[in-house]
Amino acid sequence: MLTIDNLHANAGDKAILKGISLTVNAGEVHAIMGPNGSGKSTLAQVIAGHPGFEVTKGSITYVGQDLLEMDPEVRAQQGVFLAFQYPVEIPGVTNAYFLRSAYNELRKAHGKEEMDPMEFLDLMEQKLKVVDMDPAMLQRSVNAGFSGGEKKRNEILQMAVLEPKLAILDETDSGLDIDALRVVAGGVNALKRPDNATIVVTHYQRLLNHIVPDFVHVLAGGKIVKSGGKELALELEAKGYDWLVGTA
Amino acid sequence: MNAPAATRYAEAFGQLDTAAAPPWLAALRTAALAEFNALGFPTTRNEDWHFTSVTPIADRTFRNATSTGAPTAAEILALTVGDASWPRAVFVNGQCDPTLSTLGALTTAGVRVSTLTAAIKDTPEFVADHLGKLATFSAQAFTAFNTAFAQDGLVVHVPRSLVVDLPLHIIHVADAQAAGCMLHPRLLVVAEPLSQFNIVESFVSLNGTEYFTNAVAEISVGDGARLHHHKVQRESTEAFHVGTVQVSQGRNSLFHSFSYASGAALSRTNIYTRLLGEAAETRLNGLYLVDGTQHADHQTWVEHIAPSCASRELYKGILDGHAHGVFNGKVFVDPEAQKTDGKQSNHVLLLSPTARVDAKPQLEIFADDVKCTHGSTVGRLDELALFYMKSRGIGDENSRALLTYAFAADVLETVELDALRNGLERIAFERFTHSTQL
C-alpha cells in the first residue's frame, strides 16, 4: 500500500529525515517509535503533505501512485488520514459542518452524490458511538475550547467518518489519561479492516498495549535504526532509547 | 476649491421646517450650526481623522430629503437582517413612516417609543433634559451637523426595572428619492435603572444611489441597566455614512454594542462610551467586510471615569480588492478609575495584496492599579488551519472560503439576538463560500 524509499526531508535549511525506507501493506499496523526530535512526527506530516517540509530526495508510493505529486486534499481523498498531534482549533465552523464538508468532498472525489444534512446526521449517530462522544460536540466549533482528550477523540471521530485506507496517528496518546486512551484505541481498533493499514507514531509503549502493532520501527536522527516485531516495543520500554540512538 | 460648508449649507438650513420647534430646540440647532460652520469638515490633519479622508463628503453639497418613493414593508424587510416580526420603527429618507412601523407590542410591554417630532410635543421636558446632553457637538463636526439638521428621529424611554426581551428594530432606508440628499437621523435612548432592552439599528438602501447618512445616537444606561445596541450598516455602496453612538453608563450597568459594516463607499462609525458609575461593563464588538474601493473606519472610545469597570472589545475586519479598513481603539483611564480591567483586540484578514488596513490602539492610562491590554493582528489565513482542512480532503478554495467565514463567525458569536446572529452568519457564509447551505 505504502512504499517509502530513501526519503529525505528538510524544515527550512534543517535536514530532519535522512533516508527513510519503509513498506506498509494492507492489514498491517506499524508503530514508529523514537526519542523526541528523531523525526517521527515529521515523517507523519510529510506523508500527509504538510507544507512546512520539503522533500529533497527519495520517494513515497501509495497504492501505485506518486504520493509526493499529490496535494494534501487529494491525498486525503485517496484515503490518507493523519490524526494530528496538535489538532487545530477552528472557531466559527461547527464540527458538524466541517465533518459533512470533508465527507462530501470525499464522496465527490469518488463520483458519488453529496449527502444531505439530515442523512449525514443519521450517519454521525453511528460514528459518535465509535468514540463514545456526546452529540452536542457536533454543534461546537471544531476543537475550539476542547480538552486535550476531546480533541484526540474528535480526530478519531473524523477518521471514523472518512474511513481512510491509511491512517497515521501522530502521538495520539500524548496528553490522554488511561480511560481516554482506551476509548481512542478502541475506536482505532474498531475501524481496522483487512484492506486498510495503520501507522502509529508514539514515544511510549503504553498505546501499543491497546493497538497491537505487527511491526515496530525505531527512528533516531532521521533514520530507522531498528525494526522488529511487537516485542521490540517492550524492549524499548525496559531499556529506553539510548542503546539504539548511538547507532544512528 | 469649494465654498466653506457654512455658506453651502445655510440655504438648506433655512429650508427646514422649524415652526414647531420650542425655543430651547431652536437655540440648540442654531448653536450646532454655528459650531459646524466654525469647524467645517475634519481633514486628515485632525488626529481622529488621520486615516480617513472625508473629502468626497466635503466636496459635495447634499440637499435636504423631502420626498420618498413610498416603498412597501415587504420591500424594506427583504433588505434587513433579523426577525420580520420584531417591533419596528421605519424611517424612509430620514422621515419616520408610521404606516410601515409596528410598535404596538413594545408599547404594551411598557416601553415608551415615539418619534422625535411627537416627543417634542408630548414630553417636551423629557426631550429637553436629554437631547444633545450626551452627544455633545463641541469639536464634533458631524454631531454638530446632525444636531443642526436632524428633522426626525426616535426617542426610546425604558422605565425603571422594565425587562423586555422583544427588541426594537429601527430601520433607516434610503430609496431612489434619496439621491443627492443628506439624512440626519437622531436616536435618543434612556434606559432607566435596572431595565433591560435590545435595539437593532439597520441602515439599508433600496437603490444603489449616492446619498449621505449622518446618524447620531445618544444612549443613557442607568444604574444596573443592561442595554444591547446593534448597528447593521448595509448602505448603498455609492453612499457615505457617518454614525456616532454616544453612551453613558451608570453603576453596575452593562452596555453591549455590535457594529456590522459592509456598505457605503465611505463609512465611519464612532462608538463612544463613558463609564461613569462603579463596576460598569462595556462590550464593544464589530465586524467590517469590505471590498472594491470601499473605505470602512471604526473609532471606539472607552472612557473609564469610575473605578472597577471592565471593557471588552473585539473587532474584526475582512478586506478584499482595494478596500481600506481603519480601526482606532481609544481607551482612557481616569486617575480615579482604579481597578480598571480593559481588553481590546482588533484582527484583520487581508484577502488581496491591494487591500489595506490602518489599526491604531490608543491607551491613555492615568491610574496605577489597572489591567489594560490590547492586541492587533493583520494577516492572511493561518497556514496550519489550511493544512488541517486540506488533510481532511477539503480543497484549497473551499478551505480558504470556510476559514474566512470562520474568521467572521468568531465575532458574530457575540451577537446575542439569535435571529440577527443567524442572519449575519448566513450573509457572511454566502459572501465567502458562494454557497447558501450553512
Side-chain angles (χ1 to χ4, degrees), chain A residues 87-238:
Chain A
V88 178
E89 297 190 8
I90 310 176
V93 176
T94 64
N95 234 350
Y97 187 86
F98 180 61
L99 284 164
R100 183 156 53 86
S101 299
Y103 186 72
N104 279 332
E105 293 263 4
L106 186 71
R107 285 177 71 98
K108 271 193 289 184
H110 293 277
K112 292 185 197 160
E113 294 252 320
E114 289 190 31
M115 194 181 257
D116 71 51
M118 291 314 290
E119 252 183 297
F120 186 71
L121 276 181
D122 290 342
L123 174 77
M124 288 310 299
E125 212 171 296
Q126 308 157 29
K127 301 296 184 182
L128 284 163
K129 288 183 189 143
V130 176
V131 281
D132 191 20
M133 220 160 104
D134 183 348
M137 300 289 278
L138 292 178
Q139 298 314 321
R140 289 177 52 185
S141 287
V142 179
N143 294 325
F146 284 26
S147 71
E150 285 171 339
K151 284 182 181 171
K152 297 300 173 79
R153 248 179 233 221
N154 207 24
E155 292 294 286
I156 306 307
L157 174 66
Q158 292 171 21
M159 177 175 157
V161 171
L162 299 175
E163 299 185 321
K165 279 211 244 326
L166 175 67
I168 306 154
L169 311 178
D170 186 7
E171 308 258 4
T172 296
D173 50 335
S174 67
L176 292 189
D177 63 33
I178 189 68
D179 291 325
L181 186 74
R182 267 203 206 103
V183 172
V184 164
V188 173
N189 288 330
L191 298 169
K192 206 176 146 189
R193 293 198 315 254
D195 60 344
N196 64 20
T198 311
I199 297 176
V200 183
V201 174
T202 182
H203 187 86
Y204 300 105
Q205 187 267 340
R206 65 170 193 164
L207 179 63
L208 305 180
N209 289 334
H210 301 276
I211 304 172
V212 180
D214 301 299
F215 302 94
V216 174
H217 312 277
V218 181
L219 215 62
K223 287 180 182 172
I224 291 177
V225 293
K226 193 165 175 68
S227 295
K230 64 182 177 216
E231 62 290 344
L232 177 56
L234 294 168
E235 199 179 346
L236 291 166
E237 182 75 357

Side-chain angles (χ1 to χ4, degrees), chain B residues 55-395:
Chain B
T55 305
I57 297 171
D59 277 354
R60 288 165 171 78
T61 304
F62 297 97
R63 292 176 284 110
N64 293 319
T66 51
S67 63
T68 78
T72 65
E75 285 175 306
I76 292 166
L77 288 173
L79 298 171
T80 63
V81 187
D83 189 328
S85 73
W86 284 343
R88 62 179 184 262
V90 178
F91 289 79
V92 183
N93 301 345
Q95 291 293 319
C96 186
D97 186 335
T99 64
L100 294 169
S101 304
T102 56
L103 294 165
L106 281 182
T107 309
T108 307
V111 183
R112 295 168 202 151
V113 187
S114 55
T115 63
L116 185 57
T117 319
I120 288 166
K121 208 171 347 145
D122 302 338
T123 52
E125 286 175 13
F126 180 81
V127 180
D129 280 351
H130 294 96
L131 192 74
K133 293 295 193 294
L134 294 179
T136 52
F137 50 70
S138 168
Q140 298 288 333
F142 286 102
T143 299
F145 199 10
N146 171 285
T147 307
F149 281 86
Q151 282 295 280
D152 208 355
L154 208 65
V155 176
V156 181
H157 186 191
V158 192
R160 188 184 173 92
S161 301
L162 185 71
V163 175
V164 182
D165 290 331
L166 210 53
L168 164 63
H169 196 176
I170 305 168
I171 303 171
H172 303 276
V173 56
D175 69 13
Q177 306 284 316
C181 293
M182 54 182 177
L183 316 172
H184 295 279
R186 185 88 181 197
L187 172 64
L188 169 64
V189 180
V190 178
E192 298 285 0
L194 302 169
S195 65
Q196 295 186 21
F197 197 47
N198 273 286
I199 292 173
V200 180
E201 264 197 288
S202 294
F203 295 86
V204 294
S205 157
L206 272 164
N207 307 80
T209 51
E210 184 185 292
Y211 55 90
F212 172 39
T213 299
N214 178 35
V216 172
E218 46 194 331
I219 302 176
S220 164
V221 188
D223 292 352
R226 300 170 74 87
L227 192 97
H228 298 260
H229 178 263
H230 314 79
K231 177 180 172 181
V232 182
Q233 189 271 98
R234 298 172 72 209
E235 303 266 28
S236 148
T237 51
E238 299 293 313
F240 308 102
H241 178 103
V242 176
T244 297
V245 179
Q246 175 74 62
V247 185
S248 84
Q249 293 186 243
R251 192 186 172 92
N252 288 315
S253 66
L254 169 78
F255 174 68
H256 178 203
S257 154
F258 189 87
S259 174
Y260 175 90
S262 67
L266 166 62
S267 75
R268 163 70 171 254
T269 297
N270 301 316
I271 310 276
Y272 302 151
T273 183
R274 307 187 80 207
L275 297 154
L276 297 173
E278 255 179 72
E281 183 186 346
T282 279
R283 292 181 210 150
L284 307 182
N285 302 120
L287 174 67
Y288 43 106
L289 309 177
V290 281
D291 61 15
T293 55
Q294 285 180 288
H295 179 105
D297 178 355
H298 274 91
Q299 184 181 63
T300 64
W301 189 4
V302 181
E303 285 180 89
H304 283 267
I305 307 292
S308 305
C309 294
S311 56
R312 290 282 174 278
E313 259 185 275
L314 173 63
Y315 268 80
K316 286 195 160 187
I318 302 179
L319 312 174
D320 206 346
H322 289 78
H324 185 184
V326 179
F327 176 80
N328 176 205
K330 300 211 278 188
V331 178
F332 169 85
V333 181
D334 188 89
E336 299 298 313
Q338 299 294 358
K339 306 283 180 197
T340 287
D341 178 4
K343 190 174 180 209
Q344 178 188 97
S345 314
N346 173 54
H347 302 296
V348 179
L349 193 56
L350 299 176
L351 298 182
S352 91
T354 48
R356 167 182 164 197
V357 66
D358 289 290
K360 185 178 166 197
Q362 214 175 319
L363 273 53
E364 294 176 61
I365 301 170
F366 298 100
D368 47 23
D369 185 16
V370 301
K371 199 165 71 187
C372 275
T373 61
H374 68 85
S376 187
T377 60
V378 177
R380 301 182 190 284
L381 293 170
D382 179 32
E383 285 299 322
L384 191 60
L386 269 177
F387 172 57
Y388 188 63
M389 303 201 92
K390 291 183 194 176
S391 79
R392 298 306 180 245
I394 303 174

Side-chain angles (χ1 to χ4, degrees), chain A residues 2-43:
Chain A
L2 183 78
T3 308
I4 301 175
D5 184 32
N6 193 29
L7 184 71
H8 289 65
N10 289 4
D13 291 336
K14 195 168 179 243
I16 312 270
L17 302 182
K18 301 168 183 169
I20 298 217
S21 296
L22 176 68
T23 299
V24 177
N25 296 307
E28 294 177 352
V29 176
H30 288 246
I32 310 270
M33 302 185 70
N36 291 331
S38 59
K40 45 189 201 304
S41 277
T42 300
L43 176 61

